[in-house]
Amino acid sequence: MRNFRGVFSKALAGTSAFAFHNSQLSTRAQATSMSSTPSKKDLMPAVFINHGGGPMPVLGQQPEVKDFLGAYGAKFEGRSPRAVVVVTAHWEDRQVSVSSGQTHSLLYDYGGFPPESYSLKYPAPGEPGVAATAVKLLEDAGISVRSNPTRPWDHGTFIPLMCMFPDAQVPVVQISLVAGQDPKTHWDIGVALRPLREQGVLIVGSGLSFHNFKYLFAWNPITKHEGIEHAKNFANWLTDTVTDEKLSPEEREAKLVNWLSAPSAAQCHPRGGAEHFMPFFVVAGSALGAPGKEVGLEYAQMMNIAVSQYEFVE
């Protein structure tokens, strides 16, 4: 467990906290249908969000993150999701793992924060039925998967949900990444899980579109400027690819899965360190290659570095 408290505190002293701003996600496979084709009104969105730094959004240190997530969750008032499935950047396994308990404790997988950070509560129920459906969908797609009734929810899950659904009434299912950080693997997971959205389940990919501490916490102005430029390059490419309505589903999938060839991609997510970007592919895959839109445009900077969030509503 790393101690990031001092690093975040120093970085925040000279820059704004995570603020999400506009910096200028085809498939040939068809997801198995669980019911008749839903109307657009019935289809739940899928959204890729930046979850902030550790517990900071709920400690009052990243109010922009909390405000955006709170506003996003509030739009479901009167149309509460049946459940929320969170694909978290902080859980990698050899196969897809799906939390399946009636309840789950919390995993305080961060270090160096105030004592209250380790007594946070989020008593939302689990949803074993949705978990079982997710497992069956993945098995039917030939994807290796297992249920996990005991693994706690990590901060990639409970911190954003504390902001989005603070009353903890929406049931939660947490889903892992697959070790190896292969984008096509995660895209296919999203394709397989698409029918959940047709059954009133909100899919949330929780990570970061930029995750390179070398640039986030750089004090050298030259290094910081390099990071800012890399982030702009990648964010522009990503937003263009996600939103371009001229791309066919197959073209969009091909471009996104080949993300490492994008401008500055390797500088935004160093080799072996792209776990925070993998939830994006699950979210985009669940849209079957349809275009998405950038959301949280007023909150798309993180320590002066561009980050991006995307919603798919089809």
Side-chain angles (χ1 to χ4, degrees), residues 195-214:
L196 292 178
R197 296 177 54 200
E198 301 170 1
Q199 295 296 308
V201 176
L202 173 66
I203 296 180
V204 175
S206 177
L208 282 166
S209 64
F210 182 101
H211 199 249
N212 188 338
F213 286 0
K214 170 185 175 180

Side-chain angles (χ1 to χ4, degrees), residues 84-88 156-157 160-161 172-176 202-206:
V84 55
V85 164
V86 181
V87 183
T88 172
T157 295
L161 292 185
V172 179
V173 174
Q174 178 177 258
I175 293 184
S176 78
L202 173 66
I203 296 180
V204 175
S206 177

Side-chain angles (χ1 to χ4, degrees), residues 25-28 183-184 187 237 241 247-261 281 289:
L25 268 51
S26 124
T27 181
R28 298 183 180 90
K184 184 63 165 68
W187 182 280
W237 173 87
T241 305
L247 292 176
S248 70
E250 293 80 10
E251 289 170 333
R252 194 180 327 278
E253 176 185 2
K255 289 190 70 173
L256 290 172
V257 167
N258 195 33
W259 71 279
L260 276 172
S261 66
F281 293 101

Side-chain angles (χ1 to χ4, degrees), residues 137-214:
L137 289 168
L138 291 162
E139 288 176 338
D140 288 349
I143 296 170
S144 180
V145 58
R146 69 185 181 100
S147 297
N148 189 321
T150 60
R151 203 259 189 188
W153 295 334
D154 60 57
H155 80 271
T157 295
F158 72 83
I159 292 296
L161 292 185
M162 287 177 71
C163 302
M164 295 172 70
F165 304 112
D167 60 2
Q169 295 299 302
V170 180
V172 179
V173 174
Q174 178 177 258
I175 293 184
S176 78
L177 303 176
V178 176
Q181 301 173 9
D182 177 64
K184 184 63 165 68
T185 295
H186 292 90
W187 182 280
D188 291 345
I189 292 168
V191 172
L193 294 178
R194 159 71 176 219
L196 292 178
R197 296 177 54 200
E198 301 170 1
Q199 295 296 308
V201 176
L202 173 66
I203 296 180
V204 175
S206 177
L208 282 166
S209 64
F210 182 101
H211 199 249
N212 188 338
F213 286 0
K214 170 185 175 180

